[in-house]
Amino acid sequence: MSAENDRLAGRHNLAAVDSGEDPLSALIARTASADGHALAALYDGTASYVHGIAMRILKDERDAEEVTVDVYRQVWHQAARYDPDRGRPLAWLLMLARSRAIDRMRSAAAERARVEPLDDATPVASTAPTPEESTALAERRRVVQGALTRLAAEQRQVIELAYFGGLSQSEIAAKLGEPLGTVKTRIRIGMMRLRDALGSAGRALL
């Protein structure tokens, strides 16, 4: 079975959760064993719920998207901590989403309180990068491109088209002849792995 077929085979029917079957728990268990296809299937089946609660708290699409990605990065690293006896899988994911969204909201409020008074007194400065900044930007690009080579080919392709080619997700889907949902999943899973590959630098670069 191809990798793509394997991923699709892992996708689950959320309605089955209420009928007593628990495909989400199985996907989390496989994710704990570093199964990337299981994580992608878990994302496909639950991301709309995670994004929905993040959006309801943050009221900002970009912040909600970032929280959604962060939740599945956390799942990738902490899937082994999930205890089915303490709650259903979807409830666990929504708890992670709520916690991360509230943390982001509080962080943003604190940052605004710190920065806004300074903005009133700060004169307008040149936006042109200094030589040091230009060198730092070039180094960041080199590091990111190196990390990209460690991604799966389909993930690297969509990220390069989006971030280096300037294409929207819809344009990428049309260019590749792929469903928009597939493109979105590849970008988000690819970004999660890219941040992991970059380590602490990834949190500053991406």
Side-chain angles (χ1 to χ4, degrees):
M1 180 181 291
S2 68
E4 186 68 12
N5 286 338
D6 185 31
R7 185 183 72 80
L8 292 175
R11 294 187 65 175
H12 53 275
N13 180 356
L14 285 176
V17 177
D18 294 329
S19 68
E21 300 178 18
D22 205 351
L24 295 184
S25 290
L27 290 174
I28 292 173
R30 287 169 52 196
T31 299
S33 300
D35 185 336
H37 297 307
L39 178 64
L42 184 68
Y43 178 95
D44 284 345
T46 60
S48 62
Y49 297 92
V50 170
H51 180 272
I53 194 170
M55 188 67 184
R56 192 154 53 244
I57 293 170
L58 296 168
K59 307 293 192 298
D60 182 273
E61 178 64 29
R62 179 173 180 178
D63 284 347
E65 288 279 354
E66 291 180 357
V67 164
T68 300
V69 170
D70 287 344
V71 165
Y72 290 93
R73 287 182 66 239
Q74 183 174 352
V75 171
W76 177 251
H77 291 293
Q78 299 181 1
R81 299 183 185 180
Y82 169 65
D83 181 358
D85 293 333
R86 298 183 63 181
R88 304 298 292 270
L90 188 57
W92 180 60
L93 292 172
L94 296 182
M95 180 272 293
L96 295 180
R98 181 178 182 277
S99 177
R100 283 191 167 273
I102 290 174
D103 285 347
R104 178 174 287 265
M105 182 173 61
R106 290 172 176 168
S107 176
E111 180 67 11
R112 284 195 301 271
R114 183 183 70 83
V115 171
E116 285 174 357
L118 295 177
D119 288 342
D120 294 336
T122 301
V124 177
S126 171
T127 58
T130 65
E132 291 80 7
E133 289 171 337
S134 296
T135 300
L137 288 171
E139 176 63 15
R140 288 179 181 181
R141 186 179 181 90
R142 184 191 67 78
V143 170
V144 171
Q145 287 178 328
L148 277 169
T149 64
R150 298 197 287 275
L151 296 180
E154 66 272 13
Q155 294 165 0
R156 182 172 64 250
Q157 181 184 39
V158 293
I159 289 175
E160 287 176 341
L161 288 172
Y163 291 90
F164 298 131
L167 299 183
S168 69
Q169 293 177 342
S170 296
E171 289 170 337
I172 294 171
K175 181 180 179 67
L176 300 180
E178 295 279 6
L180 180 58
T182 297
V183 169
K184 288 183 176 181
T185 295
R186 289 178 181 175
I187 288 176
R188 289 167 179 162
I189 298 298
M191 289 299 293
M192 288 162 52
R193 293 182 177 174
L194 186 57
R195 286 176 178 173
D196 288 340
L198 291 168
S200 60
R203 290 189 287 273
L205 295 179
L206 300 177

